[in-house]
Amino acid sequence: MTSTTRAVCPHCAWPDDAEPFQVVSRHGTATGGTVWTRCACGSLQVRVTDGRGTRVVSRSRPSAAPTR
């Protein structure tokens, strides 16, 4: 995927235009697609792909560390 924003994850600074750590799901839409990904830091991201490229439109905080 190629990002059109040149942005980075605010939690770990992983570039949005780099390959996501994990693709969770992909969904086709009338104008392109939506891809849910998980960053290496654990942040869940929603990426939209359309005629303008791919960009992160929403992201969560990193997942909490497991408690023992």
Side-chain angles (χ1 to χ4, degrees):
M1 290 186 215
T2 304
S3 172
T4 57
T5 62
R6 303 278 186 230
V8 298
C9 176
H11 308 291
C12 69
W14 187 265
D16 284 351
D17 59 355
E19 285 298 313
F21 181 73
Q22 177 185 21
V23 174
V24 178
S25 66
R26 296 177 189 271
H27 307 277
T29 66
T31 59
T34 302
V35 182
W36 289 76
T37 63
R38 189 163 305 277
C39 187
C41 70
S43 170
L44 187 63
Q45 304 170 345
V46 180
R47 297 172 183 239
V48 170
T49 303
D50 58 17
R52 299 184 320 191
T54 300
R55 62 203 172 281
V56 176
V57 295
S58 182
R59 70 177 96 222
S60 71
R61 294 184 192 138
S63 54
T67 58
R68 294 182 193 209

